[in-house]
Amino acid sequence: MLGIAFSVFCGSLLSTYPVLSGFVMGLIGAVVTFVFGALKFKGPAALFFVLSFAIASGTPHTPSEAAIRGTLVLLGGALAWLIAMAGWLTRPHGPEMQAIRRIYAQLADMMEAVGTRDYEKARHETLIAMLEGEPMFAVRRHVWKETELIRRLERLFNQAHVIYQETDTWQLQRKEPPPDTVSSVVRSVSGLGTETGKLRTEGLMVPDDAQSHALLQSVLGLSATLEGVPDGGREGERMTGTPLQSIFLEAFDKNSLVFLLSLRFGIILTFAALAAHAFNLNRSYWVPLSCAAVMLGSTVIATFHRAIQRSLGTMIGILAASAILWAHPQGIVISLAIMLFSFFAELLIVRNYTLTMMFVTPNALLMAAAGSHIVHVGYFAGTRMADVVTGSLIGLAGVLILGRTSASSRIPYLMGRAIRSQSQLLAVLFTGQIETGLPVESREQRSMKTRLANLTTVYATALGELPRNEEELQRLLPVVWALEQIAYLLNSYSRSEGEERPGLSDPELACLLLWFEKMAQSADRQRLLPIPELPGLEGIPKVRHELSWMQTALEKSLAS
């Protein structure tokens, strides 16, 4: 709301300075893209900010009305915000409930996949679900007192971590799925209401061996959690969120994909705005707007698809608008048509971009025709089509020129950085440097999270590059998964008390750090170097298993 109002204010203020306006438009696009990328916000990123700025800069040149226009947009945004937040009155913790349901459904799938070739994939998907839900349950400075419901959801989230770890231990020792009743109880959590609800755990029998006892006890603990009985062992454990300053500082790095994409977005958008002004195109703001919409594709292939879809949808939309404008509609007819087109555009935006543009284009043309009191069909249709095609081509060409294969070329380097950051956190955790659970994330922990996030983002982007080496990316995937599993395990140890973490002797630590460095060099250089044998790590067998699995995955990827 504030950002769009500010964009309208700046666009109106700079409407008489087209060159300066082009640079400011690029700056706004770059900054918003950076913020959305660093904070991992889902949505159209800079599109609506660029749209607001572009339309304001294309209105009649009256900079004196900039404050009035910005205020009106602010009021409209406030109304939209109130409507969007109305669900908080009835379901204030709806997103948290949805995250819990997804996590426990994935946990049940993971249990059923124990001992099969699908286990690693199921385990990875469960881990992703827990990582995506983690920001919702991180400690925040609450303005209002926490409700019993949110505390119960937090306990369920913490218990999911326990079940995940015990299931992984079962897989290492048994290589066969736990009893069906266990996974059934876990899956039933995803279907329960969170205000009330009881689990039927009477049929769960606890065998005599200690390992089975640990897994089943963690599942039995779900019943007490749902009934609101605190678990003393987990009640005090609270996750902490990463400070915004740290997030932005880590993202503002020359090797950060977020920084590079935002820089590319700003440069291409500025060029599109200046080019439209230089050629004195009618309704020139449609050029940078189309360019911004096309560049929303996270990959080259996605950008190419959006360029085709936007052009095709615009052509069809222009035909529909031409048919309506040919009848010279007035007043209520235009209003009803705009309402109808807006409804279908919002309905289809998450489904198909071509269909969406079929309704967005006539909507924009009707608004423009009604606002200017001109109903010359050829004027609006030709201008819109020429500007959309021009903007789409500029966006596609810019993406192809600036960074066609920038993602895949950075994977080895970022993989080496991620491995080194994990060695630094492991050294801090297991040498007695931290005696109690971390009240806030340590510098090493934040560094590891950021570098791993950069790696996974770059890998996902590389999958859509054109051209791309599909075989090479597939052989690196197990290494990325292994790094995510190690990061999760280290984060779990970081939340435990110091006396619960075994220490490492100096010889063990020295050998382990050498192992990490050799692994990092092998990943960075993409060739297999002599790697020393892993130390025993008897106190942390799960860590040793994950490290050994990562070594195997890396060696296979480099040998193929």
Side-chain angles (χ1 to χ4, degrees):
M1 177 182 68
L2 296 174
I4 289 178
F6 178 75
S7 299
V8 170
F9 172 79
C10 291
S12 301
L13 197 64
L14 300 176
S15 59
T16 56
Y17 306 97
V19 176
L20 180 60
S21 177
F23 283 102
V24 173
M25 182 187 294
L27 179 63
I28 290 176
V31 171
V32 176
T33 302
F34 178 80
V35 172
F36 270 63
L39 299 180
K40 295 182 173 59
F41 285 163
K42 295 180 179 180
L47 180 60
F48 287 116
F49 297 90
V50 173
L51 171 64
S52 303
F53 182 92
I55 291 179
S57 64
T59 53
H61 303 326
T62 51
S64 59
E65 297 181 1
I68 297 177
R69 292 175 181 172
T71 303
L72 291 174
V73 172
L74 187 66
L75 292 174
L79 176 61
W81 184 87
L82 290 173
I83 294 173
M85 292 298 293
W88 179 84
L89 298 174
T90 56
R91 299 181 70 249
H93 301 301
E96 289 90 341
M97 295 179 189
Q98 186 177 1
I100 289 296
R101 292 189 180 105
R102 182 191 172 199
I103 288 171
Y104 277 89
Q106 292 289 351
L107 272 174
D109 292 340
M110 175 180 168
M111 286 183 171
E112 294 169 356
V114 169
T116 69
R117 64 177 62 184
D118 297 328
Y119 177 74
E120 291 301 334
K121 181 181 179 180
R123 185 174 73 147
H124 182 259
E125 291 176 350
T126 305
L127 175 63
I128 295 301
M130 291 194 293
L131 292 178
E132 290 179 350
E134 185 173 310
M136 300 182 188
F137 301 98
V139 171
R140 299 174 293 269
R141 299 294 182 184
H142 293 282
V143 180
W144 298 284
K145 184 179 179 181
E146 284 185 337
T147 63
E148 173 58 30
L149 175 59
I150 192 61
R151 287 195 292 267
R152 187 178 303 174
L153 291 172
E154 288 176 352
R155 289 195 293 268
L156 282 173
F157 183 75
N158 289 333
Q159 194 67 15
H161 285 272
V162 179
I163 297 173
Y164 176 88
Q165 294 282 7
E166 296 302 339
T167 303
D168 215 24
T169 302
W170 180 290
Q171 156 72 13
L172 292 176
Q173 298 182 359
R174 295 290 190 92
K175 303 293 184 182
E176 62 180 9
D180 293 339
T181 53
V182 179
S183 58
S184 297
V185 170
V186 172
R187 189 178 298 281
S188 63
V189 176
S190 63
L192 282 177
T194 48
E195 291 285 359
T196 59
K198 294 187 65 175
L199 289 178
R200 298 183 60 86
T201 58
E202 296 83 359
L204 288 178
M205 302 298 295
V206 181
D208 295 333
D209 63 292
Q211 196 277 319
S212 297
H213 180 81
L215 174 60
L216 297 185
Q217 281 297 108
S218 65
V219 175
L220 286 169
L222 290 173
S223 182
T225 301
L226 282 171
E227 293 170 9
V229 179
D231 182 356
R234 311 284 300 178
E235 182 69 11
E237 180 178 305
R238 307 296 300 278
M239 291 174 298
T240 57
T242 305
L244 286 177
Q245 181 182 1
S246 300
I247 294 176
F248 287 128
L249 286 177
E250 290 290 344
F252 196 74
D253 183 276
K254 65 179 181 179
N255 294 299
S256 169
L257 188 67
V258 172
F259 175 73
L260 294 173
L261 287 178
S262 60
L263 188 63
R264 183 183 70 182
F265 189 95
I267 292 174
I268 299 175
L269 190 62
T270 301
F271 177 81
L274 296 178
H277 170 67
F279 289 101
N280 196 26
L281 298 176
N282 290 324
R283 305 278 174 170
S284 61
Y285 60 84
W286 275 336
V287 174
L289 180 58
S290 297
C291 179
V294 166
M295 287 193 295
L296 285 180
S298 59
T299 65
V300 173
I301 293 178
T303 303
F304 182 71
H305 287 170
R306 288 182 72 90
I308 295 177
Q309 290 171 352
R310 186 171 181 84
S311 301
L312 181 61
T314 299
M315 291 179 185
I316 300 175
I318 286 176
L319 294 178
S322 301
I324 296 174
L325 291 174
W326 199 269
H328 302 286
Q330 298 294 327
I332 189 65
V333 177
I334 293 180
S335 299
L336 290 175
I338 289 175
M339 182 178 68
L340 187 64
F341 286 136
S342 298
F343 171 78
F344 282 107
E346 292 294 331
L347 185 67
L348 297 170
I349 187 64
V350 296
R351 296 292 183 184
N352 187 282
Y353 194 55
T354 301
L355 295 177
T356 302
M357 291 307 303
M358 288 169 53
F359 295 99
V360 170
T361 299
N363 207 4
L365 291 176
L366 286 175
M367 290 181 182
S372 59
H373 303 289
I374 298 176
V375 291
H376 191 272
V377 178
Y379 173 78
F380 285 107
T383 300
R384 176 75 170 180
M385 192 67 249
D387 290 351
V388 166
V389 172
T390 302
S392 299
L393 291 176
I394 291 176
L396 180 59
V399 171
L400 288 172
I401 295 172
L402 301 179
R404 183 179 58 181
T405 58
S406 60
S408 57
S409 63
R410 287 181 175 84
I411 291 178
Y413 172 73
L414 292 177
M415 196 175 288
R417 291 189 74 187
I419 293 173
R420 290 186 178 96
S421 66
Q422 290 181 346
S423 71
Q424 293 168 3
L425 179 58
L426 187 143
V428 169
L429 289 175
F430 298 107
T431 55
Q433 298 182 44
I434 298 179
E435 298 180 356
T436 59
L438 298 176
V440 294
E441 286 187 344
S442 66
R443 180 186 62 185
E444 292 81 6
Q445 193 175 3
R446 291 196 299 267
S447 175
M448 180 191 69
K449 283 186 175 182
T450 302
R451 292 179 180 182
L452 186 60
N454 281 341
L455 173 61
T456 54
T457 302
V458 167
Y459 184 86
T461 304
L463 289 173
E465 286 181 337
L466 189 68
R468 66 181 184 275
N469 190 332
E470 191 78 33
E471 183 179 349
E472 180 179 357
L473 292 174
Q474 286 299 320
R475 68 178 177 83
L476 290 176
L477 181 59
V479 185
V480 177
W481 283 7
L483 287 170
E484 290 179 326
Q485 295 291 346
I486 294 171
Y488 168 78
L489 196 56
L490 294 180
N491 281 326
S492 299
Y493 274 111
S494 70
R495 293 197 295 267
S496 61
E497 297 294 330
E499 57 270 15
E500 297 178 8
R501 294 195 301 268
L504 294 176
S505 64
D506 290 344
E508 274 187 317
L509 181 61
C511 183
L512 191 57
L513 291 179
L514 177 61
W515 181 90
F516 268 108
E517 181 57 30
K518 290 293 185 180
M519 289 286 292
Q521 291 180 10
S522 296
D524 198 352
R525 301 176 185 179
Q526 283 297 287
R527 64 186 177 89
L528 195 59
L529 301 177
I531 299 176
E533 184 179 354
L534 269 172
L537 305 179
E538 296 180 359
I540 44 176
K542 287 184 180 179
V543 174
R544 191 185 192 284
H545 171 75
E546 296 296 344
L547 295 179
S548 177
W549 190 62
M550 180 179 71
Q551 179 177 350
T552 302
L554 182 61
E555 289 175 346
K556 286 183 178 179
S557 70
L558 296 179
S560 58

